[in-house]
Amino acid sequence: MTPYSFKLPDLGEGTVDSEIVAWRVGIGEHIDADQPLVDMMTDKATVEITAPVSGKLVSMAGEPGDIIAVGAELALFATGKEETAQVDNTAINGPAAADNTRPGSGKSQQPVDGTGKPLTSPAIRRLARENNIDLNQVQGTGPNGRISRADIDAILQQAAQPSAGSAPGPVPEPLLNREEAHIIKLQGLRRKTAEHMTLSASRIPHFSYVEEFDVTELERLRQHLNGARQGRRTALTYLPFFMQALVKVVKEFPRCNAHFDDEQQVIKQFDPVHIGIAVQTRDGLMVPVIRNAEALDLWQCARALHEAAEKAREGRARREELTGSTVTVTSLGALGGIVSTPIINYPEVAIIGVNRTQQRQVVRDGVISTRLMMNVSSSFDHRIVDGYDAARAIRALKSHLESPATIFLQEP
């Protein structure tokens, strides 16, 4: 039997580490070469890594949420003709790991860590101690037999219930004193989003501006176009119109379509308009990119937007489809609220927030009338875009969307 140490490969440009998202296999399983082994995350993209060899999985480098450096051991395999035999853990992992099981509840062998203790986290060990629970008698239901919080909670719940025919007794002291908070490890896309938002909020001095848009005519045009081409085209939401109008606005205000490198103190101003669209997925916020929006018409924007959002929600978006935006638009749809203060997508310098529409009484030409109104929020990097220019840019966006025919006029 030959041990094979599989090192974490380089998963992309400049990648120095990656986060474990989910293991596809368990310790002791026989794995074929090219079989899915583990999902790893880097820069908001999840990559499936396959097994490099056939053999039995002896050890894994960590759990979901753990960060592994490129070049560090990710998994250890036992290969060769006798791979299905008992692995000599003493030779591979040292004396402490020689016996990786012990009798548990009598129903099966309980897996243990390298120190001979039942597999679980420090927080679970502490909870067990506080409640006088012997982990050696607990059969774990987590991955690879790991004892989880749910296993401990089930024991505590059972202990708190009176037996049949007996009067309820006092609640045990440990149950009265146990912590009400649940410790949840920040991992995966949620951790990446948290890191990116912290970077944006801490390094960019935000200037936020909110303007009221009358989208009555825009809504009338949107409904007309959708009705005229129903079933033949992707349905138009407000976002394709915003994208088309934004392309025109950044030609007049090019500083809004830029990146700022605060370490080199240089502005990278772009000619193409690569619009990031913030999309909420079950795993967290993603920002797929619609590239070269200036070359797309309204319907092409709608189709590109629909396809990008679907890929993000289904976890099919590639790394290159989630990077490289030059300006971002975010929308919460019907939940958009009255006002928001969007955080800039670092290293960009501008973001536009679309809020919900609302029927309001407004005065137009001295007459009160009911109009469909929308508050549009925005944030700018105040080091690059002055408040005056930010307000002018949003007013230009407002002008195009309140008179939507101007969106389709060709430049002279």
Side-chain angles (χ1 to χ4, degrees), residues 128-192:
R129 286 196 305 270
E130 291 174 347
N131 291 278
N132 299 318
I133 296 174
D134 183 2
L135 291 178
N136 294 320
Q137 304 302 318
V138 178
Q139 191 65 40
T141 60
N144 304 313
R146 187 180 184 85
I147 299 172
S148 67
R149 175 62 186 258
D151 297 323
I152 302 300
D153 284 344
I155 294 173
L156 293 174
Q157 185 177 8
Q158 184 178 8
Q161 293 176 350
S163 59
S166 64
V171 179
E173 186 66 22
L175 292 180
L176 291 174
N177 296 330
R178 73 183 181 120
E179 296 180 5
E180 295 297 330
H182 297 273
I183 306 302
I184 301 173
K185 188 175 185 178
L186 203 62
Q187 62 187 63
L189 182 58
R190 178 58 58 194
R191 182 181 64 82
K192 287 287 186 181

Side-chain angles (χ1 to χ4, degrees), residues 18-84:
S18 185
E19 178 181 342
I20 298 173
V21 176
W23 287 98
R24 300 290 194 89
V25 294
I27 291 177
E29 290 186 29
H30 172 83
I31 302 168
D32 295 324
D34 298 325
Q35 178 180 336
L37 176 67
V38 62
D39 292 336
M40 305 292 294
M41 173 176 286
T42 174
D43 293 339
K44 292 190 175 181
T46 300
V47 179
E48 179 185 86
I49 295 181
T50 57
V53 295
S54 296
K56 184 160 71 171
L57 183 62
V58 176
S59 67
M60 304 182 297
E63 303 174 348
D66 289 346
I67 308 298
I68 307 298
V70 170
E73 183 177 282
L74 181 62
L76 186 66
F77 295 88
T79 63
K81 294 182 179 179
E82 300 178 356
E83 65 192 33
T84 56

Side-chain angles (χ1 to χ4, degrees), residues 234-256:
T234 303
L236 295 171
T237 64
Y238 287 116
L239 290 184
F241 293 96
F242 270 82
M243 293 168 65
Q244 291 280 293
L246 191 56
V247 166
K248 290 185 172 292
V249 169
V250 297
K251 288 182 180 179
E252 184 180 354
F253 300 91
R255 283 286 177 90
C256 296

Side-chain angles (χ1 to χ4, degrees), residues 356-374:
R356 71 167 180 257
T357 57
Q358 205 173 42
Q359 293 281 352
R360 300 180 200 160
Q361 298 291 317
V362 298
V363 178
R364 291 173 61 89
D365 301 324
V367 178
I368 298 177
S369 60
T370 301
R371 308 289 291 180
L372 186 64
M373 308 299 292
M374 173 194 290

